[in-house]
Amino acid sequence: MLSTDPKLANSGLKFLPQSSSGSPNQELLPLTAKVNDKDALEIGGCDVTTLVKQFGSPLYILDEFSLRTAAAQYRDSFKKYYPGAAKVIYASKAWNCLAVCRIVDSEGLGIDVASGGELYTALQAGISGDNIYFHGNNKSAAELAMAIEHQCTIMVDNWQELKTLVELGRDRASFEAIKIMLRLTPGIECHTHEYIRTGQIDSKFGFGLDSLEAVFEFVSQNKELDLQGLHAHIGSQIFELQPHQDLAGVLMDWAIAAQKYDLSIKTINVGGGLGICYTETDDPPSIEDWVKTVAEAIAAACQSRNLELPELIAEPGRSLIGTACVTAYTVGGTKTVPGIRNYISIDGGMSDNPRPITYESVYRAVVANKMSAPLENKVTIAGKHCESGDILIQDGLLPRVESGDIIVIMGTGAYNYSMASNYNRLTRPAAVLVNRGEANLILQRETYDDLIRQDLLPQRLLNLPQS
Ligand code: LLP
Protein backbone atom coordinates (compact mmCIF):
# COMPACT_ATOMS: atom_id res chain seq x y z
CA MET A 1 0.00 0.00 0.00
CA LEU A 2 1.56 3.30 -1.03
CA SER A 3 1.41 6.36 1.16
CA THR A 4 -1.29 8.86 0.26
CA ASP A 5 0.56 11.71 2.01
CA PRO A 6 1.40 14.23 -0.78
CA LYS A 7 4.63 15.28 1.01
CA LEU A 8 5.95 11.75 0.56
CA ALA A 9 4.63 11.22 -2.94
CA ASN A 10 7.73 12.32 -4.76
CA SER A 11 10.50 10.58 -2.84
CA GLY A 12 11.59 7.10 -1.85
CA LEU A 13 9.56 7.61 1.35
CA LYS A 14 6.43 6.72 -0.60
CA PHE A 15 7.55 3.09 -0.64
CA LEU A 16 7.68 2.79 3.16
CA PRO A 17 5.13 0.30 4.52
CA GLN A 18 1.90 1.70 5.87
CA SER A 19 2.01 -0.40 9.04
CA SER A 20 4.03 -3.18 10.56
CA SER A 21 1.03 -5.48 10.69
CA GLY A 22 -0.16 -5.42 7.08
CA SER A 23 0.06 -8.28 4.62
CA PRO A 24 3.74 -8.27 3.56
CA ASN A 25 2.85 -9.18 -0.05
CA GLN A 26 0.96 -5.89 -0.40
CA GLU A 27 4.02 -3.74 0.39
CA LEU A 28 7.12 -2.97 -1.64
CA LEU A 29 9.53 -2.72 1.29
CA PRO A 30 9.82 -5.12 4.25
CA LEU A 31 7.44 -4.36 7.13
CA THR A 32 10.25 -3.03 9.36
CA ALA A 33 11.52 -0.50 6.80
CA LYS A 34 12.04 3.01 8.22
CA VAL A 35 14.10 6.08 7.47
CA ASN A 36 16.52 7.22 10.17
CA ASP A 37 17.79 10.68 11.04
CA LYS A 38 20.59 10.36 8.45
CA ASP A 39 17.91 10.02 5.74
CA ALA A 40 19.02 6.41 5.31
CA LEU A 41 16.89 3.33 4.87
CA GLU A 42 16.73 1.03 7.87
CA ILE A 43 15.51 -2.56 7.73
CA GLY A 44 15.10 -4.77 10.79
CA GLY A 45 16.58 -1.92 12.83
CA CYS A 46 19.78 -1.90 10.74
CA ASP A 47 20.97 1.00 8.59
CA VAL A 48 21.33 -0.39 5.06
CA THR A 49 24.35 1.79 4.26
CA THR A 50 26.11 0.46 7.38
CA LEU A 51 25.24 -3.12 6.42
CA VAL A 52 26.87 -2.58 3.03
CA LYS A 53 30.01 -1.20 4.70
CA GLN A 54 30.12 -4.19 7.02
CA PHE A 55 29.15 -7.05 4.69
CA GLY A 56 30.04 -5.68 1.26
CA SER A 57 28.08 -5.05 -1.93
CA PRO A 58 25.89 -6.33 -3.51
CA LEU A 59 24.05 -7.64 -0.48
CA TYR A 60 20.77 -9.49 -0.02
CA ILE A 61 19.13 -8.14 3.16
CA LEU A 62 16.45 -10.44 4.58
CA ASP A 63 14.03 -9.11 7.19
CA GLU A 64 13.18 -11.88 9.63
CA PHE A 65 10.09 -10.08 10.94
CA SER A 66 8.46 -9.85 7.49
CA LEU A 67 9.12 -13.51 6.77
CA ARG A 68 7.76 -14.61 10.14
CA THR A 69 4.75 -12.31 9.80
CA ALA A 70 3.83 -13.77 6.41
CA ALA A 71 4.23 -17.31 7.79
CA ALA A 72 2.05 -16.48 10.80
CA GLN A 73 -0.60 -14.86 8.60
CA TYR A 74 -0.84 -17.99 6.45
CA ARG A 75 -0.92 -20.28 9.48
CA ASP A 76 -3.40 -18.22 11.50
CA SER A 77 -5.71 -17.52 8.56
CA PHE A 78 -6.09 -21.25 7.88
CA LYS A 79 -7.01 -21.71 11.55
CA LYS A 80 -9.56 -18.93 11.21
CA TYR A 81 -11.18 -19.94 7.92
CA TYR A 82 -10.78 -23.69 7.55
CA PRO A 83 -12.79 -25.89 9.88
CA GLY A 84 -10.56 -28.95 9.29
CA ALA A 85 -6.84 -29.58 9.70
CA ALA A 86 -4.56 -27.41 7.57
CA LYS A 87 -0.86 -27.12 6.91
CA VAL A 88 1.22 -24.50 5.15
CA ILE A 89 4.36 -25.66 3.45
CA TYR A 90 6.98 -23.24 2.15
CA ALA A 91 7.87 -23.68 -1.53
CA SER A 92 11.57 -23.44 -0.87
CA LYS A 93 12.48 -23.02 -4.55
CA ALA A 94 11.77 -19.35 -3.81
CA TRP A 95 14.86 -19.25 -1.54
CA ASN A 96 16.34 -22.42 -0.15
CA CYS A 97 19.16 -22.15 2.38
CA LEU A 98 19.74 -23.40 5.91
CA ALA A 99 18.63 -20.25 7.73
CA VAL A 100 15.43 -19.77 5.74
CA CYS A 101 14.45 -23.45 6.18
CA ARG A 102 15.06 -23.09 9.90
CA ILE A 103 12.94 -19.95 10.26
CA VAL A 104 9.91 -21.33 8.41
CA ASP A 105 10.18 -24.61 10.32
CA SER A 106 10.16 -22.70 13.59
CA GLU A 107 6.90 -21.05 12.47
CA GLY A 108 5.34 -24.50 12.17
CA LEU A 109 5.42 -24.65 8.38
CA GLY A 110 6.42 -27.66 6.33
CA ILE A 111 8.79 -27.44 3.35
CA ASP A 112 8.32 -28.20 -0.33
CA VAL A 113 11.53 -29.20 -2.09
CA ALA A 114 12.02 -29.68 -5.81
CA SER A 115 15.39 -31.42 -6.10
CA GLY A 116 17.84 -33.58 -4.19
CA GLY A 117 19.80 -30.41 -3.42
CA GLU A 118 16.84 -28.62 -1.87
CA LEU A 119 15.96 -31.79 0.02
CA TYR A 120 19.53 -32.13 1.31
CA THR A 121 19.53 -28.51 2.49
CA ALA A 122 16.21 -28.94 4.31
CA LEU A 123 17.47 -32.10 6.01
CA GLN A 124 20.72 -30.40 6.98
CA ALA A 125 18.66 -27.56 8.47
CA GLY A 126 17.14 -30.17 10.77
CA ILE A 127 13.72 -30.41 9.13
CA SER A 128 12.02 -33.72 9.77
CA GLY A 129 11.13 -35.79 6.70
CA ASP A 130 7.49 -35.82 7.85
CA ASN A 131 7.40 -32.13 7.10
CA ILE A 132 9.06 -32.34 3.69
CA TYR A 133 7.14 -32.68 0.40
CA PHE A 134 9.17 -33.60 -2.65
CA HIS A 135 8.16 -32.16 -6.05
CA GLY A 136 9.57 -32.35 -9.55
CA ASN A 137 8.78 -33.69 -13.01
CA ASN A 138 11.93 -35.76 -13.36
CA LYS A 139 13.14 -36.91 -9.98
CA SER A 140 15.94 -39.44 -10.30
CA ALA A 141 15.79 -42.83 -8.62
CA ALA A 142 18.58 -41.66 -6.28
CA GLU A 143 16.61 -38.54 -5.32
CA LEU A 144 13.49 -40.62 -4.71
CA ALA A 145 15.43 -43.12 -2.61
CA MET A 146 16.78 -40.28 -0.46
CA ALA A 147 13.26 -38.90 0.06
CA ILE A 148 11.91 -42.37 0.93
CA GLU A 149 14.71 -42.98 3.40
CA HIS A 150 13.69 -39.82 5.27
CA GLN A 151 9.94 -40.57 5.10
CA CYS A 152 9.14 -37.51 3.03
CA THR A 153 5.89 -37.29 1.09
CA ILE A 154 6.49 -37.64 -2.62
CA MET A 155 4.42 -35.52 -4.97
CA VAL A 156 4.23 -37.92 -7.90
CA ASP A 157 4.29 -36.21 -11.27
CA ASN A 158 4.16 -38.95 -13.93
CA TRP A 159 4.00 -42.66 -14.82
CA GLN A 160 7.73 -43.18 -14.89
CA GLU A 161 7.97 -41.99 -11.32
CA LEU A 162 5.11 -44.22 -10.16
CA LYS A 163 6.89 -47.22 -11.61
CA THR A 164 10.23 -46.27 -10.10
CA LEU A 165 8.58 -45.85 -6.72
CA VAL A 166 7.02 -49.29 -6.87
CA GLU A 167 10.43 -50.78 -7.70
CA LEU A 168 12.10 -48.86 -4.88
CA GLY A 169 9.31 -49.97 -2.54
CA ARG A 170 9.85 -53.63 -3.47
CA ASP A 171 13.59 -53.37 -2.88
CA ARG A 172 13.17 -52.12 0.67
CA ALA A 173 14.33 -54.40 3.43
CA SER A 174 11.36 -53.70 5.68
CA PHE A 175 7.94 -53.06 4.23
CA GLU A 176 6.61 -49.59 4.74
CA ALA A 177 4.40 -48.02 2.11
CA ILE A 178 5.72 -44.87 0.48
CA LYS A 179 3.66 -41.74 1.18
CA ILE A 180 2.62 -40.18 -2.09
CA MET A 181 0.35 -37.49 -3.43
CA LEU A 182 -0.62 -37.25 -7.10
CA ARG A 183 0.00 -34.01 -8.97
CA LEU A 184 -2.63 -33.35 -11.57
CA THR A 185 -2.87 -30.76 -14.32
CA PRO A 186 -6.23 -29.17 -13.60
CA GLY A 187 -6.73 -27.35 -16.93
CA ILE A 188 -7.12 -23.95 -15.28
CA GLU A 189 -5.79 -20.85 -17.02
CA CYS A 190 -4.61 -17.80 -15.11
CA HIS A 191 -3.05 -14.46 -15.99
CA THR A 192 0.65 -14.53 -15.39
CA HIS A 193 3.80 -14.82 -17.47
CA GLU A 194 3.60 -17.95 -19.64
CA TYR A 195 6.85 -19.35 -18.19
CA ILE A 196 5.36 -19.44 -14.69
CA ARG A 197 1.92 -20.78 -15.61
CA THR A 198 1.57 -24.46 -14.74
CA GLY A 199 -2.09 -25.37 -14.43
CA GLN A 200 -3.03 -25.32 -18.13
CA ILE A 201 -3.45 -28.59 -20.06
CA ASP A 202 -0.28 -28.05 -22.10
CA SER A 203 2.14 -28.27 -19.18
CA LYS A 204 5.11 -30.50 -18.49
CA PHE A 205 3.90 -30.99 -14.91
CA GLY A 206 1.54 -33.56 -13.50
CA PHE A 207 -0.94 -36.15 -14.74
CA GLY A 208 -3.45 -35.01 -17.32
CA LEU A 209 -7.04 -35.48 -16.17
CA ASP A 210 -7.59 -38.02 -18.94
CA SER A 211 -5.05 -40.39 -17.38
CA LEU A 212 -6.11 -40.09 -13.74
CA GLU A 213 -8.48 -43.05 -13.60
CA ALA A 214 -5.73 -45.33 -14.90
CA VAL A 215 -3.37 -43.85 -12.32
CA PHE A 216 -5.86 -44.52 -9.53
CA GLU A 217 -6.18 -48.07 -10.70
CA PHE A 218 -2.40 -48.54 -10.74
CA VAL A 219 -2.00 -47.03 -7.28
CA SER A 220 -4.79 -49.18 -5.85
CA GLN A 221 -3.03 -52.29 -7.15
CA ASN A 222 0.40 -51.50 -5.73
CA LYS A 223 0.60 -51.79 -1.98
CA GLU A 224 4.02 -50.14 -1.98
CA LEU A 225 2.22 -46.84 -2.52
CA ASP A 226 0.25 -45.11 0.21
CA LEU A 227 -1.85 -42.47 -1.50
CA GLN A 228 -2.43 -39.51 0.80
CA GLY A 229 -4.06 -37.12 -1.57
CA LEU A 230 -4.15 -34.89 -4.61
CA HIS A 231 -2.16 -31.83 -5.57
CA ALA A 232 -2.39 -29.08 -8.17
CA HIS A 233 -0.55 -25.81 -8.65
CA ILE A 234 -1.91 -23.35 -11.20
CA GLY A 235 0.94 -20.86 -11.53
CA SER A 236 2.82 -18.08 -9.84
CA GLN A 237 2.48 -14.30 -9.27
CA ILE A 238 -1.31 -14.56 -9.59
CA PHE A 239 -3.58 -11.73 -8.44
CA GLU A 240 -6.93 -13.33 -9.31
CA LEU A 241 -8.81 -15.40 -6.78
CA GLN A 242 -11.23 -17.09 -9.19
CA PRO A 243 -8.77 -19.73 -10.51
CA HIS A 244 -8.12 -20.88 -6.94
CA GLN A 245 -11.88 -21.18 -6.38
CA ASP A 246 -12.30 -23.18 -9.59
CA LEU A 247 -9.47 -25.48 -8.55
CA ALA A 248 -11.34 -26.60 -5.43
CA GLY A 249 -14.16 -28.10 -7.51
CA VAL A 250 -11.76 -29.89 -9.87
CA LEU A 251 -9.80 -31.43 -6.99
CA MET A 252 -12.86 -32.56 -5.06
CA ASP A 253 -14.41 -34.12 -8.18
CA TRP A 254 -11.30 -36.24 -8.53
CA ALA A 255 -11.38 -37.11 -4.84
CA ILE A 256 -14.79 -38.66 -5.57
CA ALA A 257 -13.45 -40.47 -8.64
CA ALA A 258 -10.71 -42.04 -6.49
CA GLN A 259 -13.32 -43.67 -4.26
CA LYS A 260 -14.24 -46.04 -7.10
CA TYR A 261 -10.77 -47.54 -6.70
CA ASP A 262 -11.06 -47.83 -2.94
CA LEU A 263 -8.72 -44.90 -2.47
CA SER A 264 -9.57 -42.32 0.12
CA ILE A 265 -8.22 -38.82 -0.45
CA LYS A 266 -7.24 -37.56 2.99
CA THR A 267 -5.24 -34.53 1.89
CA ILE A 268 -5.71 -31.84 -0.73
CA ASN A 269 -2.81 -29.59 -1.69
CA VAL A 270 -3.81 -26.48 -3.64
CA GLY A 271 -0.28 -25.30 -4.46
CA GLY A 272 0.89 -21.70 -4.09
CA GLY A 273 0.80 -18.78 -6.46
CA LEU A 274 -0.29 -15.66 -4.58
CA GLY A 275 1.45 -12.64 -6.09
CA ILE A 276 3.31 -9.77 -4.45
CA CYS A 277 3.78 -6.05 -5.20
CA TYR A 278 6.78 -5.33 -7.36
CA THR A 279 5.50 -1.88 -8.33
CA GLU A 280 3.02 0.62 -6.91
CA THR A 281 0.40 -0.43 -9.47
CA ASP A 282 0.42 -4.10 -8.40
CA ASP A 283 -2.60 -4.95 -6.28
CA PRO A 284 -2.54 -8.56 -5.05
CA PRO A 285 -5.08 -9.84 -2.50
CA SER A 286 -3.79 -10.08 1.07
CA ILE A 287 -2.57 -13.40 2.46
CA GLU A 288 -5.66 -13.55 4.65
CA ASP A 289 -8.02 -12.99 1.69
CA TRP A 290 -6.25 -15.65 -0.36
CA VAL A 291 -6.47 -18.19 2.46
CA LYS A 292 -10.12 -17.31 3.09
CA THR A 293 -10.94 -17.90 -0.59
CA VAL A 294 -9.08 -21.20 -0.78
CA ALA A 295 -10.38 -22.50 2.53
CA GLU A 296 -13.99 -21.55 1.86
CA ALA A 297 -13.84 -22.96 -1.68
CA ILE A 298 -12.61 -26.35 -0.47
CA ALA A 299 -15.12 -26.43 2.39
CA ALA A 300 -17.97 -25.52 0.00
CA ALA A 301 -16.84 -28.06 -2.63
CA CYS A 302 -16.84 -30.76 0.06
CA GLN A 303 -20.22 -29.78 1.39
CA SER A 304 -21.88 -29.79 -2.02
CA ARG A 305 -20.41 -33.22 -2.75
CA ASN A 306 -21.11 -34.65 0.66
CA LEU A 307 -17.42 -35.30 1.34
CA GLU A 308 -15.58 -35.10 4.63
CA LEU A 309 -13.16 -32.20 4.92
CA PRO A 310 -9.67 -33.27 3.89
CA GLU A 311 -6.49 -31.99 5.46
CA LEU A 312 -5.80 -28.83 3.44
CA ILE A 313 -2.28 -27.91 2.37
CA ALA A 314 -1.09 -24.76 0.62
CA GLU A 315 2.48 -24.26 -0.56
CA PRO A 316 3.26 -20.56 -1.06
CA GLY A 317 6.76 -19.40 -1.93
CA ARG A 318 6.90 -15.87 -3.32
CA SER A 319 4.24 -14.37 -1.02
CA LEU A 320 6.07 -15.70 2.05
CA ILE A 321 9.52 -14.35 1.31
CA GLY A 322 9.39 -12.06 -1.75
CA THR A 323 8.89 -8.76 0.05
CA ALA A 324 11.00 -9.71 3.04
CA CYS A 325 14.23 -9.10 1.14
CA VAL A 326 15.87 -6.24 -0.74
CA THR A 327 19.15 -6.22 -2.61
CA ALA A 328 21.60 -3.38 -2.01
CA TYR A 329 24.04 -2.41 -4.76
CA THR A 330 26.70 0.27 -5.08
CA VAL A 331 26.57 2.70 -7.97
CA GLY A 332 29.66 2.77 -10.17
CA GLY A 333 29.64 4.74 -13.41
CA THR A 334 26.83 6.63 -15.06
CA LYS A 335 26.31 7.33 -18.75
CA THR A 336 23.96 9.67 -20.56
CA VAL A 337 22.93 8.98 -24.13
CA PRO A 338 21.72 12.50 -24.98
CA GLY A 339 18.01 12.68 -25.61
CA ILE A 340 17.64 8.94 -25.09
CA ARG A 341 18.59 7.47 -21.71
CA ASN A 342 20.56 7.84 -18.48
CA TYR A 343 22.34 4.66 -17.46
CA ILE A 344 23.50 3.93 -13.92
CA SER A 345 25.78 0.94 -13.56
CA ILE A 346 25.68 -1.15 -10.42
CA ASP A 347 27.95 -3.89 -9.08
CA GLY A 348 25.54 -6.82 -9.65
CA GLY A 349 22.88 -7.59 -12.22
CA MET A 350 21.40 -10.57 -14.03
CA SER A 351 23.53 -13.03 -12.05
CA ASP A 352 22.00 -12.08 -8.69
CA ASN A 353 18.56 -11.19 -10.12
CA PRO A 354 17.82 -13.05 -13.37
CA ARG A 355 14.08 -12.23 -13.30
CA PRO A 356 14.09 -9.08 -15.49
CA ILE A 357 16.03 -10.78 -18.30
CA THR A 358 14.08 -14.03 -17.95
CA TYR A 359 10.50 -12.82 -17.48
CA GLU A 360 10.73 -9.09 -18.25
CA SER A 361 9.92 -8.54 -14.57
CA VAL A 362 9.62 -4.95 -13.43
CA TYR A 363 11.17 -3.73 -10.18
CA ARG A 364 11.36 -0.50 -8.22
CA ALA A 365 14.39 0.96 -6.44
CA VAL A 366 15.23 3.55 -3.82
CA VAL A 367 18.53 5.20 -2.98
CA ALA A 368 19.22 4.02 0.55
CA ASN A 369 21.32 7.07 1.50
CA LYS A 370 18.90 9.66 0.04
CA MET A 371 15.47 8.44 0.97
CA SER A 372 13.68 11.78 1.03
CA ALA A 373 15.37 13.31 -2.04
CA PRO A 374 12.93 14.08 -4.88
CA LEU A 375 12.52 11.47 -7.58
CA GLU A 376 13.58 13.78 -10.39
CA ASN A 377 15.69 11.58 -12.66
CA LYS A 378 14.56 8.99 -15.13
CA VAL A 379 17.28 6.34 -15.08
CA THR A 380 18.00 2.85 -16.32
CA ILE A 381 19.78 0.65 -13.82
CA ALA A 382 22.25 -1.55 -15.67
CA GLY A 383 24.02 -4.58 -14.29
CA LYS A 384 27.72 -5.21 -14.83
CA HIS A 385 27.47 -8.24 -17.12
CA CYS A 386 28.67 -8.35 -20.70
CA GLU A 387 25.16 -8.48 -22.03
CA SER A 388 23.06 -5.55 -23.29
CA GLY A 389 19.91 -7.09 -21.82
CA ASP A 390 21.43 -7.00 -18.34
CA ILE A 391 19.12 -4.21 -17.18
CA LEU A 392 17.45 -4.50 -13.78
CA ILE A 393 15.21 -1.45 -14.12
CA GLN A 394 14.36 0.36 -17.34
CA ASP A 395 13.52 4.08 -17.09
CA GLY A 396 12.75 4.18 -13.36
CA LEU A 397 12.53 7.33 -11.24
CA LEU A 398 15.32 8.02 -8.78
CA PRO A 399 16.88 11.03 -7.07
CA ARG A 400 20.08 12.45 -8.59
CA VAL A 401 22.54 9.58 -8.22
CA GLU A 402 26.33 9.63 -7.88
CA SER A 403 28.99 6.99 -7.83
CA GLY A 404 29.08 5.37 -4.38
CA ASP A 405 25.35 5.77 -3.68
CA ILE A 406 23.56 2.65 -2.45
CA ILE A 407 20.70 1.54 -4.67
CA VAL A 408 18.18 -0.82 -3.10
CA ILE A 409 15.98 -2.94 -5.34
CA MET A 410 12.84 -4.06 -3.55
CA GLY A 411 11.01 -7.39 -3.56
CA THR A 412 14.02 -9.61 -4.21
CA GLY A 413 13.35 -12.37 -1.66
CA ALA A 414 11.83 -14.87 -4.07
CA TYR A 415 13.56 -16.44 -7.06
CA ASN A 416 16.60 -14.17 -6.87
CA TYR A 417 19.27 -15.92 -4.79
CA SER A 418 17.70 -19.26 -5.71
CA MET A 419 18.08 -18.52 -9.43
CA ALA A 420 21.41 -16.71 -9.14
CA SER A 421 24.33 -17.74 -11.32
CA ASN A 422 28.02 -17.03 -11.71
CA TYR A 423 27.70 -15.61 -15.21
CA ASN A 424 30.88 -13.76 -16.14
CA ARG A 425 32.31 -15.44 -13.06
CA LEU A 426 30.78 -12.93 -10.74
CA THR A 427 30.79 -14.16 -7.16
CA ARG A 428 27.31 -14.54 -5.73
CA PRO A 429 26.50 -11.91 -3.07
CA ALA A 430 26.33 -12.46 0.67
CA ALA A 431 22.96 -12.50 2.44
CA VAL A 432 22.36 -11.04 5.85
CA LEU A 433 19.41 -11.70 8.15
CA VAL A 434 18.29 -8.60 10.06
CA ASN A 435 16.11 -8.44 13.13
CA ARG A 436 15.76 -5.83 15.91
CA GLY A 437 19.06 -4.17 15.13
CA GLU A 438 21.03 -7.41 14.82
CA ALA A 439 22.53 -8.55 11.53
CA ASN A 440 23.69 -12.14 10.96
CA LEU A 441 25.36 -13.45 7.86
CA ILE A 442 23.32 -16.36 6.45
CA LEU A 443 25.14 -16.78 3.14
CA GLN A 444 28.78 -15.96 2.76
CA ARG A 445 29.88 -13.95 -0.24
CA GLU A 446 31.50 -16.28 -2.73
CA THR A 447 35.20 -15.84 -3.26
CA TYR A 448 37.30 -16.21 -6.40
CA ASP A 449 38.55 -19.47 -4.93
CA ASP A 450 34.94 -20.70 -4.75
CA LEU A 451 34.67 -19.97 -8.45
CA ILE A 452 37.51 -22.27 -9.42
CA ARG A 453 36.83 -24.90 -6.74
CA GLN A 454 35.31 -27.35 -9.24
CA ASP A 455 37.77 -26.54 -12.05
CA LEU A 456 40.34 -29.18 -12.94
CA LEU A 457 43.43 -28.91 -15.08
CA PRO A 458 44.27 -32.30 -16.63
CA GLN A 459 47.95 -33.15 -16.47
CA ARG A 460 48.35 -32.90 -20.24
CA LEU A 461 47.22 -29.27 -20.15
CA LEU A 462 49.62 -28.55 -17.31
CA ASN A 463 52.42 -29.91 -19.46
CA LEU A 464 51.64 -27.60 -22.36
CA PRO A 465 54.28 -24.98 -22.93
CA GLN A 466 53.27 -21.62 -21.49
CA SER A 467 53.34 -18.53 -23.64
N1 LLP B 1 4.16 -25.35 -5.63
C1 LLP B 1 4.64 -25.75 -6.80
C2 LLP B 1 4.43 -27.12 -7.24
C3 LLP B 1 5.36 -24.85 -7.60
O1 LLP B 1 5.83 -25.26 -8.77
C4 LLP B 1 5.57 -23.52 -7.15
C5 LLP B 1 6.32 -22.58 -7.95
C6 LLP B 1 5.04 -23.16 -5.90
C7 LLP B 1 4.33 -24.09 -5.17
C8 LLP B 1 5.23 -21.79 -5.32
O2 LLP B 1 4.63 -20.80 -6.08
P1 LLP B 1 4.63 -19.29 -5.56
O3 LLP B 1 3.79 -19.23 -4.31
O4 LLP B 1 6.04 -18.90 -5.29
O5 LLP B 1 4.03 -18.51 -6.65
N2 LLP B 1 10.98 -18.47 -11.12
C9 LLP B 1 9.67 -17.88 -11.33
C10 LLP B 1 8.62 -18.56 -10.49
C11 LLP B 1 8.53 -20.03 -10.75
C12 LLP B 1 7.54 -20.71 -9.85
C13 LLP B 1 7.75 -22.16 -9.88
N3 LLP B 1 6.85 -22.89 -9.07
C14 LLP B 1 9.73 -16.40 -11.04
O6 LLP B 1 10.80 -15.91 -10.72
O7 LLP B 1 8.73 -15.70 -11.17
Side-chain angles (χ1 to χ4, degrees):
M1 301 283 118
L2 278 193
S3 170
T4 44
D5 181 343
K7 286 206 298 294
L8 307 183
N10 193 33
S11 74
L13 303 180
K14 72 176 178 180
F15 295 116
L16 289 174
Q18 289 298 284
S19 81
S20 60
S21 57
S23 190
N25 72 317
Q26 294 183 316
E27 303 287 354
L28 276 102
L29 277 166
L31 296 176
T32 60
K34 290 192 177 60
V35 173
N36 64 19
D37 51 10
K38 295 186 197 124
D39 201 26
L41 177 64
E42 243 181 51
I43 296 175
C46 299
D47 181 319
V48 167
T49 62
T50 312
L51 290 174
V52 169
K53 282 192 196 110
Q54 194 180 347
F55 297 100
S57 174
L59 184 66
Y60 296 115
I61 301 169
L62 176 62
D63 180 38
E64 187 169 345
F65 178 79
S66 297
L67 175 56
R68 287 191 183 278
T69 301
Q73 288 179 359
Y74 266 108
R75 195 188 55 220
D76 298 345
S77 304
F78 272 111
K79 277 203 192 102
K80 185 163 163 195
Y81 295 108
Y82 192 64
K87 187 163 179 180
V88 181
I89 63 181
Y90 166 57
S92 71
K93 66 206 79 185
W95 183 343
N96 182 295
C97 69
L98 295 176
V100 169
C101 288
R102 207 50 183 253
I103 293 171
V104 293
D105 181 64
S106 74
E107 289 294 331
L109 274 57
I111 300 218
D112 142 7
V113 297
S115 70
E118 287 184 359
L119 170 57
Y120 178 80
T121 309
L123 291 168
Q124 290 297 312
I127 315 301
S128 140
D130 281 352
N131 270 331
I132 301 179
Y133 296 74
F134 188 20
H135 272 287
N137 64 308
N138 193 17
K139 308 175 189 82
S140 69
E143 287 176 316
L144 289 170
M146 180 174 166
I148 294 169
E149 184 192 332
H150 290 93
Q151 274 118 33
C152 306
T153 303
I154 295 168
M155 317 302 285
V156 182
D157 198 272
N158 53 57
W159 279 108
Q160 175 64 40
E161 198 178 323
L162 273 180
K163 291 174 189 156
T164 309
L165 285 171
V166 170
E167 280 163 24
L168 288 170
R170 282 189 192 140
D171 290 348
R172 295 181 88 189
S174 64
F175 181 79
E176 197 182 338
I178 301 165
K179 283 182 290 180
I180 63 162
M181 293 186 65
L182 297 171
R183 177 168 185 170
L184 54 92
T185 317
I188 289 175
E189 302 277 339
C190 54
H191 294 109
T192 188
H193 192 286
E194 64 173 311
Y195 291 179
I196 54 178
R197 236 185 267 155
T198 46
Q200 75 282 10
I201 303 271
D202 181 7
S203 163
K204 71 170 182 168
F205 295 108
F207 291 99
L209 299 181
D210 53 348
S211 63
L212 265 187
E213 297 248 2
V215 173
F216 288 152
E217 188 169 12
F218 180 89
V219 171
S220 68
Q221 288 165 354
N222 285 283
K223 60 180 181 345
E224 291 80 7
L225 306 175
D226 172 14
L227 180 65
Q228 307 278 306
L230 302 178
H231 167 278
H233 170 75
I234 53 180
S236 197
Q237 184 60 3
I238 300 170
F239 289 1
E240 307 148 280
L241 290 171
Q242 188 63 42
H244 298 285
Q245 267 164 330
D246 298 343
L247 180 62
V250 175
L251 286 166
M252 296 326 297
D253 280 344
W254 286 99
I256 293 181
Q259 291 172 349
K260 271 195 282 172
Y261 300 89
D262 256 348
L263 297 169
S264 96
I265 299 301
K266 297 181 280 289
T267 301
I268 288 289
N269 182 331
V270 295
L274 172 61
I276 67 169
C277 283
Y278 286 107
T279 74
E280 57 280 26
T281 54
D282 288 336
D283 189 18
S286 67
I287 291 174
E288 179 166 348
D289 283 346
W290 188 90
V291 171
K292 182 171 188 287
T293 303
V294 166
E296 290 179 352
I298 293 285
C302 288
Q303 200 179 20
S304 63
R305 290 164 181 78
N306 229 344
L307 290 170
E308 273 181 39
L309 284 181
E311 176 197 30
L312 178 55
I313 297 187
E315 50 190 20
R318 189 190 315 266
S319 52
L320 272 170
I321 203 164
T323 318
C325 180
V326 301
T327 310
Y329 303 91
T330 305
V331 174
T334 58
K335 170 180 175 177
T336 298
V337 184
I340 302 185
R341 218 176 301 284
N342 298 313
Y343 286 98
I344 298 179
S345 290
I346 53 167
D347 51 357
M350 60 184 284
S351 56
D352 60 77
N353 183 358
R355 298 193 71 257
I357 200 160
T358 313
Y359 314 112
E360 298 172 328
S361 309
V362 179
Y363 282 87
R364 292 287 185 258
V366 290
V367 180
N369 51 312
K370 297 177 177 167
M371 286 298 288
S372 58
L375 306 179
E376 56 193 8
N377 264 11
K378 201 193 246 189
V379 295
T380 287
I381 301 182
K384 66 178 278 164
H385 292 273
C386 298
E387 180 116 1
S388 306
D390 176 29
I391 301 291
L392 290 188
I393 296 181
Q394 178 101 27
D395 295 333
L397 279 176
L398 282 188
R400 210 161 286 281
V401 172
E402 301 145 303
S403 175
D405 280 345
I406 305 297
I407 300 254
V408 159
I409 297 197
M410 298 174 276
T412 57
Y415 308 111
N416 273 227
Y417 167 71
S418 63
M419 291 174 65
S421 75
N422 292 117
Y423 181 40
N424 292 139
R425 290 232 145 169
L426 260 67
T427 53
R428 278 178 299 177
V432 71
L433 180 71
V434 291
N435 195 18
R436 297 169 192 258
E438 199 179 312
N440 306 109
L441 205 53
I442 56 169
L443 289 166
Q444 284 182 343
R445 185 173 304 283
E446 281 177 339
T447 63
Y448 290 148
D449 278 341
D450 291 329
L451 294 176
I452 58 164
R453 199 170 306 285
Q454 308 299 333
D455 289 18
L456 296 172
L457 266 179
Q459 195 59 38
R460 91 190 152 71
L461 298 187
L462 278 175
N463 294 341
L464 289 179
Q466 287 189 299
S467 60

